[in-house]
Amino acid sequence: MDARLLKTLRAIVGPDHVLTEPAELRLYEYDGSIERGRPDCVVFPATKHEVVEIMRAANRFGVPVTSRGAGTGLSGGALARYGGLQIVFSRMNRILAIDPENLFAVVEPGVVNAELSRAVSPWGLQFAPDPSSQRACTIGGNVAENAGGPHTLAYGVTSNHILALEIVLADATILRVGSPAADPPGYDLVGLWVGSEGTLGLVVEICVRLTPLPEAVRTLLAIFDTVDDATATVAALTAAGITPAACEMMDGWSIRMVESWIQAGLPTDAAALLLIDVDGLTEEADQKAQRVMDLCQRFRARQVRLASDEAERERLWKARKNAFGAVGRIAPSCYVQDGVIPRTRLPETLREIAAIGRKYGFDIGNVFHAGDGNLHPMIVFDEREPEALARARAAADEIIALCVRLGGSITGEHGVGMEKDHLMPLLFTADDLSLMRRVHDAFDPHDRINPGKIFPSGKICGEIRAVSVHG
Amino acid sequence: MAVDALHRLEALVGAEVYTTDPTVCQQHAFSGRVPRAVVFPRNAAEIAEILRFCSQHRLAVVPLGAGSKGPLANPPERYDLALVSSRLRGVIFYDPGDLTLSVEAGLSLHELERLVATEGQFFPLAAPFGSAATVGGAVASGLDSPWRQFYGTARDLLLGAEFVTGDGLVAHSGGRVVKNVAGYDLHKLLIGSWGTLGVLTRLNFRTYPHPGPPHLWLARYERWEDAAHLLRRLRGSVLRPLAADLLSGWWAERLLRQCPAGQPSFKDPSGLQVVVDFRGSAAVRTRIERELRTLAEQTHATAAVLLAEEAAQTVASAWRELLSQLLVERADGTLFRLGALPTTQPELAEAIQALAASSGVGAHFLVRAAGPMWLALLPEEQGWPAARWARLLQELRQLLQNASAHGTLLYAPASAGTREATPGDANAATKAMQALKDTFDPQHILAPGRLPTSVGAR
């Protein structure tokens, strides 16, 4: 990297906040996915004005810029695919304003998701999106990926909770979009920006909607002897018009993995379990809990348990949120996938995923957001075995192709990033992608911001035939 | 040259799709502007062909559903061709078990609502002009409904779309499933774009379980501060009402006209009315009623009443249609959508009322707890004070800017004269929106100038 650029960067953020040593850079080569991408330099700005200066410097030297929060992403979205500068927002982690009367907060991108919810809890409020990594992941990353989480079933994903953004564009100018007040005039630029995976600009300030915490939450654990009964229960819940706050499923293999690490008291001989939250007013939560229990029993649940207190509730949710960690601890390598299907197709999809696992000779565990059809198959493999990674990717692609064939999507919350760019033609036609590319180029014509994400590279693009999911 | 080009369009798409019949053209006029031809395309490919041709020849095209919102937003600056979606009325699929569906843009909103009702479900877009409106028009106009408090707006309900860009590209974004982050959410840009970015052809939505019949509770207030206080409490409340609006003047009078006899205190339109819709089981409703009574006391309501179920149904239907009814009954007025922080609303509303009174018009508010302040300025005597219009608009702009409130002018009678563009506002957001317009519609042929005028702070 050009020494003059490094000198400029050190002048902008201070010498302590620029990393260039290979050993230091290696930490930023990874995120939560199986992708890799090493930056040439990592910078830690403290203010949005420093971000503007960094962007100017990057332009002067023609270097790409990729932004990163906590690095918990699962699609390589925050990795510097083609090297260049990596901006890490860990120093821009201030909550700038909390307005409980008008139900919004203004934060810097490096604020950790769970910390925002903790900060607003004295007013009985929360920031609703709750990805499993919420104790580490940042709001900036949530905005980039349009993050979800278990409770998005009832509360919506990140895009439903972002009111306004301040963005440093590729030309180093600042753009403010949206408003904490309803229905700002003109086009919905916030809607475009959330989920654009950091490819359109650098988000430096975020105005989020705050949501009242429910009065009562009831957590139910339903245990099943067959996967089919569990998936049928989920489909029946949806069809019966019962909207839980969360409806998570864990298969037997995953239960055993989790239980061997965190002793949450889950039955290790079960084929599947559902972890269901219902909430609302006390009267409402109690009634919904009863309806859910009745329905689980109708589908032959071996046992349905209502968490008796907050401690049990927390223990059950801890088991769920640490499932990926548990598998990661035991398996040599684990590839967490992310696909979506219409909820009516759940039973057959899980059967087919099991068949794909048998075909490739992998254990595939399933811990996922069953209530919104968002699957997270975990493919366990040993990276030291020759070709194992390539075979794991092939199995994953087959699962994703299955999701698309059933009318679903290639990603529900992890993003396309550099993991799934080659799968975009499964969902989108060449014309769709060319329009998205035109929109990209309207904001970043020189492909300077987070290059190599979302859009398929030309050669693969032609090889996969697009199938329309739009009917 | 343009006339020749239009003739060639007929040759391209055929007489079955294309007409210059003066009666048909007249039926698709906007505020007196009559198109020179009308097309009724049968599918997205045909629309793409038409738009490619029009782009090449720079013919101005206005996409239309039923035309129910024609008087709203700005009339097009140029208007050669009306592109009508009346032949795109299909249901592509409806998967009740997944609570999702996909329909063509020209399907009527009421038809869609009836369809989901057969499965005991609810389609909460519930935009006004429902008896005529098409689904595509409801989305393209971005108008809200009272039920946004609970269900959100089109932005929260639309999962994906197919649309055709100004230069004739058939594009898709989003998908049909309830959770999806693949690619840019381009369909969100088309919500509230008034046909200026693309022609919607297919829309994928989520549906909801039907919440049961409405239960309406009304409270009367004398002071803005008190009524707005209740609204804020409801907005951030664990009670999670389906809808909560504050109405003054014409809006209140129009809604209360639906109330049955025997509730005399709610037939008097003076003062401020808060209307709340809450649903649920008997136990839940009993609890909510109790909480509402307490809230009413705490916020100094002067009266409060729970409507009987039958009356509630009638009032709820009228509530949804207040915006369209305004245009029917008071086409001499103007309509704005204002965005202000809830805590600043009482002061802003009182300032606007004072300003309006000094100009001989009344300021009537419909404030949604989770949404905008709809403002109707209605002349108190016969005829719009056109001479004072420019000054009134200027002073309103000033008030909004001082309050950091934004605003959109959604309707003004032709007699009010021209709607000047927002002065001096080439800020970054405006430039970004222009860049998007250039991207989606490089020749600027789609609904030129139709986007409503911004009147407040940015």
Side-chain angles (χ1 to χ4, degrees):
Chain A
M1 178 153 276
D2 195 306
R4 289 168 303 167
L5 174 56
L6 291 177
K7 192 177 163 204
T8 308
L9 294 173
R10 289 190 180 109
I12 295 167
V13 297
D16 292 347
H17 303 300
V18 178
L19 304 180
T20 54
E21 289 300 316
E24 296 169 326
L25 296 177
R26 195 164 301 137
L27 292 172
Y28 297 90
E29 187 182 1
Y30 300 84
D31 62 359
S33 74
I34 57 171
E35 309 299 330
R36 301 285 176 269
R38 190 182 298 187
D40 298 310
C41 168
V42 178
V43 271
F44 301 86
T47 67
K48 59 190 168 196
H49 304 292
E50 289 182 3
V51 177
V52 170
E53 291 300 318
I54 294 167
M55 196 63 234
R56 276 200 194 123
N59 283 334
R60 212 174 314 136
F61 291 89
V63 172
V65 174
T66 298
S67 55
R68 179 181 174 106
T72 57
L74 289 161
S75 60
L79 299 181
R81 186 171 203 171
Y82 302 133
L85 287 184
Q86 179 135 61
I87 295 183
V88 179
F89 282 112
S90 51
R91 293 173 72 212
M92 289 176 65
N93 62 349
R94 286 165 297 185
I95 296 173
L96 301 172
I98 296 173
D99 186 338
E101 275 282 297
N102 292 308
L103 298 180
F104 72 85
V106 181
V107 301
E108 290 184 322
V111 169
V112 170
N113 174 298
E115 285 185 2
L116 176 59
S117 277
R118 192 156 45 234
V120 300
S121 64
W123 291 281
L125 298 170
Q126 61 172 326
F127 175 58
D130 64 335
S132 293
S133 56
Q134 73 185 129
R135 282 164 200 277
C137 69
T138 62
I139 312 278
N142 297 166
V143 168
E145 301 301 314
N146 191 8
H151 291 82
T152 56
L153 177 57
Y155 291 91
V157 292
T158 301
S159 69
N160 306 106
H161 300 275
I162 303 301
L163 299 169
L165 296 169
E166 192 166 328
I167 300 150
V168 175
L169 292 173
D171 64 2
T173 58
I174 287 185
L175 169 66
R176 289 186 191 86
V177 299
S179 163
D183 300 353
Y187 304 136
D188 179 13
L189 287 167
V190 175
L192 169 67
W193 228 273
V194 178
S196 61
E197 306 200 23
T199 61
L200 297 177
L202 305 163
V203 172
V204 290
E205 207 170 287
I206 303 153
C207 177
V208 306
R209 166 178 295 143
L210 299 175
T211 305
L213 286 162
E215 179 180 87
V217 184
R218 303 282 177 260
T219 298
L220 294 117
L221 179 71
I223 294 156
F224 294 88
D225 288 326
T226 71
V227 170
D228 275 358
D229 282 343
T231 51
T233 303
V234 175
L237 274 171
T238 313
I242 303 169
T243 311
C247 177
E248 302 284 302
M249 183 169 154
M250 215 185 272
D251 65 11
W253 183 87
S254 313
I255 294 169
R256 289 183 281 283
M257 288 287 154
V258 170
E259 201 52 30
S260 70
W261 188 30
I262 307 161
Q263 284 71 46
L266 305 178
T268 51
D269 63 335
L273 66 77
L274 293 177
L275 183 61
I276 298 170
D277 265 5
V278 291
D279 69 8
L281 294 174
T282 308
E283 294 84 346
E284 191 182 357
D286 287 339
Q287 283 169 348
K288 276 193 197 166
Q290 190 56 53
R291 286 184 73 193
V292 171
M293 280 205 260
D294 293 347
L295 216 126
C296 289
Q297 264 145 9
R298 204 181 320 148
F299 285 88
R300 295 167 291 278
R302 182 210 295 178
Q303 191 196 358
V304 194
R305 199 161 85 211
L306 186 66
S308 55
D309 55 18
E310 189 56 27
E312 187 177 5
R313 226 182 79 69
E314 267 178 30
R315 197 166 62 244
L316 291 172
W317 272 105
K318 192 177 164 202
R320 163 60 186 95
K321 291 211 170 184
N322 285 301
F324 297 152
V327 175
R329 183 180 149 272
I330 288 157
S333 307
C334 175
Y335 182 16
V336 179
Q337 254 304 337
D338 173 41
V340 191
I341 48 154
R343 292 166 282 192
T344 37
R345 313 303 290 268
L346 206 46
E348 65 189 280
T349 308
L350 281 210
R351 286 195 292 270
E352 289 210 35
I353 289 174
I356 292 168
R358 285 193 296 276
K359 175 177 154 189
Y360 285 88
F362 292 126
D363 280 332
I364 301 182
N366 291 285
V367 177
F368 63 102
H369 313 307
D372 41 27
N374 187 184
L375 308 168
H376 289 317
M378 297 178 287
I379 303 170
V380 174
F381 65 101
D382 189 340
E383 212 165 350
R384 293 162 301 189
E385 282 174 21
E387 299 298 306
L389 177 61
R391 279 193 304 124
R393 284 185 189 269
D397 284 2
E398 207 165 307
I399 292 171
I400 295 306
L402 166 70
C403 292
V404 174
R405 207 159 59 237
L406 295 173
S409 172
I410 63 172
T411 170
E413 55 184 15
H414 294 177
V416 175
M418 54 193 272
E419 179 202 11
K420 287 184 175 160
D421 54 352
H422 67 291
L423 297 175
M424 284 288 274
L426 286 177
L427 273 188
F428 297 110
T429 67
D431 281 353
D432 300 341
L433 292 169
S434 88
L435 182 63
M436 288 182 196
R437 174 53 83 175
R438 270 157 59 177
V439 169
H440 172 273
D441 292 352
F443 294 101
D444 181 18
H446 306 295
D447 213 5
R448 192 138 294 154
I449 296 193
N450 204 9
K453 308 294 166 65
I454 301 180
F455 296 100
S457 57
K459 70 174 171 24
I460 305 168
C461 182
E463 287 168 14
I464 300 176
R465 202 166 51 86
V467 294
S468 176
V469 294
H470 298 266
Chain B
M1 188 201 82
V3 173
D4 282 344
L6 265 180
H7 274 305
R8 275 190 281 143
L9 180 60
E10 179 175 15
L12 194 69
V13 296
E16 224 192 297
V17 170
Y18 176 98
T19 178
T20 51
D21 181 329
T23 319
V24 178
C25 288
Q26 194 60 49
Q27 282 163 358
H28 296 91
F30 275 93
S31 314
R33 286 183 176 83
V34 184
R36 296 189 294 127
V38 183
V39 283
F40 300 91
R42 289 162 294 200
N43 52 54
E46 223 161 56
I47 294 173
E49 198 174 9
I50 293 165
L51 292 181
R52 272 196 298 272
F53 180 89
C54 290
S55 240
Q56 211 178 338
H57 299 279
R58 304 211 174 185
L59 295 166
V61 182
V62 178
L64 278 168
S68 63
K69 288 171 280 293
L72 292 179
N74 287 334
E77 286 160 6
R78 295 180 289 124
Y79 192 12
D80 296 303
L81 188 69
L83 192 156
V84 185
S85 67
S86 56
R87 278 180 169 166
L88 299 169
R89 306 166 59 95
V91 175
I92 308 302
F93 76 84
Y94 175 27
D95 186 352
D98 189 43
L99 299 161
T100 53
L101 53 79
S102 177
V103 297
E104 290 188 311
L107 185 72
S108 93
L109 198 50
H110 267 190
E111 238 172 287
L112 177 50
E113 287 164 4
R114 273 197 297 273
L115 171 71
V116 302
T118 60
E119 295 286 344
Q121 293 186 357
F122 181 57
F123 185 63
L125 186 61
F129 303 88
S131 58
T134 62
V135 178
V139 168
S141 66
L143 298 182
D144 66 357
S145 92
W147 295 282
R148 72 180 283 169
Q149 169 68 26
F150 188 88
Y151 295 102
T153 58
R155 189 179 195 273
D156 306 288
L157 304 168
L158 185 66
L159 303 171
E162 176 191 78
F163 54 91
V164 187
T165 60
D167 55 349
L169 206 67
V170 180
H172 311 83
S173 66
R176 61 155 281 190
V177 281
V178 294
K179 212 164 163 193
N180 182 8
V181 296
Y184 296 150
D185 277 352
L186 301 183
H187 52 283
K188 292 209 172 105
L189 291 170
L190 273 79
I191 299 169
S193 67
W194 292 91
T196 59
L197 292 181
V199 179
L200 288 162
T201 49
R202 279 184 192 182
L203 299 137
N204 304 343
F205 290 102
R206 60 162 80 225
T207 62
Y208 280 85
H210 201 285
H215 292 266
L216 299 193
W217 179 83
L218 283 79
R220 159 80 55 80
Y221 287 85
E222 299 302 327
R223 287 159 24 103
W224 263 100
E225 193 57 53
D226 293 332
H229 187 200
L230 174 72
L231 214 59
R232 285 203 304 278
R233 292 282 295 272
L234 289 172
R235 181 174 178 234
S237 160
V238 293
L239 302 178
R240 303 192 73 198
L242 259 64
D245 284 2
L246 186 170
L247 293 78
S248 81
W250 183 89
W251 306 101
E253 188 274 326
R254 189 64 189 73
L255 191 71
L256 297 178
R257 213 188 291 166
Q258 304 297 326
C259 286
Q263 280 157 353
S265 67
F266 280 87
K267 290 223 147 187
D268 168 13
S270 69
L272 300 158
Q273 309 290 342
V274 173
V275 191
V276 182
D277 180 359
F278 61 99
R279 310 196 191 189
S281 66
V284 170
R285 292 202 314 270
T286 306
R287 164 78 192 283
I288 294 178
E289 272 176 59
R290 196 171 67 231
E291 301 274 346
L292 286 173
R293 273 199 302 275
T294 309
L295 277 172
E297 273 168 36
Q298 288 170 350
T299 53
H300 315 295
T302 55
V305 69
L306 183 74
L307 289 188
E309 200 167 305
E310 206 172 304
Q313 193 75 58
T314 315
V315 174
S317 306
W319 190 0
R320 168 182 173 169
E321 289 300 339
L322 282 175
L323 288 175
S324 60
Q325 204 56 37
L326 180 82
L327 261 59
V328 171
E329 292 180 19
R330 293 304 303 265
D332 58 333
T334 57
L335 177 67
F336 297 85
R337 183 173 58 200
L338 310 180
L341 291 179
T343 49
T344 67
Q345 288 175 356
E347 200 184 328
L348 179 63
E350 283 170 344
I352 291 173
Q353 276 175 331
L355 167 67
S358 71
S359 300
V361 298
H364 308 254
F365 285 95
L366 166 64
V367 184
R368 304 217 198 273
M373 305 170 81
W374 290 97
L375 164 65
L377 293 180
L378 307 177
E380 276 159 1
E381 296 146 33
Q382 277 298 323
W384 180 260
R388 278 173 289 179
W389 165 240
R391 207 189 69 213
L392 177 60
L393 192 58
Q394 190 47 45
E395 285 169 346
L396 179 64
R397 274 184 211 284
Q398 201 55 55
L399 273 183
L400 293 174
Q401 268 160 21
N402 294 347
S404 301
H406 55 70
T408 308
L409 172 57
L410 271 160
Y411 171 77
S415 61
T418 54
R419 305 170 199 212
E420 45 160 335
T422 314
D425 107 321
N427 66 14
T430 312
K431 273 193 259 172
M433 287 179 199
Q434 279 161 358
L436 286 171
K437 173 71 176 169
D438 294 342
T439 302
F440 279 77
D441 180 24
Q443 300 301 329
H444 292 211
I445 60 155
L446 285 174
R450 182 129 171 78
L451 208 58
T453 306
S454 165
V455 292
R458 289 274 188 162

